Amino acid sequence: MDPHGFLPHGICLLWDWAIVTRGLVGNALTALAYFSITIGLWHIQRQNRSTSSAAVRHGLRWFAAFIFLCGGGHVWDIVVLWYPWYALESWWKLATGIVSVITAILMYPEIAAFFRRPRDV
């Protein structure tokens, strides 16, 4: 977890402020959007407790966690521009990957059911 011996990512970009700024703004906007989507999903699942099944609410919670972790990944992209905390970033990415796989597994029955439905042509 020790960042000594590593350099911040901005060095790879030669501290070109046009590149750094575009990356910073792009990552910040994307993270804000992901966090907003997470809040929306949590609100939807709380508002629909009486009309949606427990399985759907459970799936929405996992999907919200996945979206939140993706947003956090963009925050880490900003952080490592200045601080070489790559070990911490790698743990975040591992958590994102694990939650992503769990979410995909939980979504699989819904996706399969969607493709089995008869279609009006």
Side-chain angles (χ1 to χ4, degrees), residues 4 16 22 31-32 34 53-55 57 62 67-68 76 81 91-92 94 96 101 105 107 109:
H4 290 84
D16 181 318
R22 282 192 302 268
L32 287 172
Y34 275 130
S53 70
R57 289 192 310 274
W62 277 98
I67 295 294
F68 177 82
W76 275 108
L81 281 170
W91 282 107
W92 190 274
L94 178 62
T96 303
V101 169
I105 290 168
M107 295 291 291

Side-chain angles (χ1 to χ4, degrees), residues 19-59:
I19 295 172
V20 170
T21 302
R22 282 192 302 268
L24 173 76
V25 171
N27 278 310
L29 291 173
T30 303
L32 287 172
Y34 275 130
F35 296 146
S36 296
I37 292 167
T38 301
I39 291 167
L41 289 170
W42 276 99
H43 179 72
I44 288 167
Q45 72 90 23
R46 288 185 57 109
Q47 293 297 102
N48 296 318
R49 284 183 184 209
S50 61
T51 58
S52 61
S53 70
V56 169
R57 289 192 310 274
H58 183 68

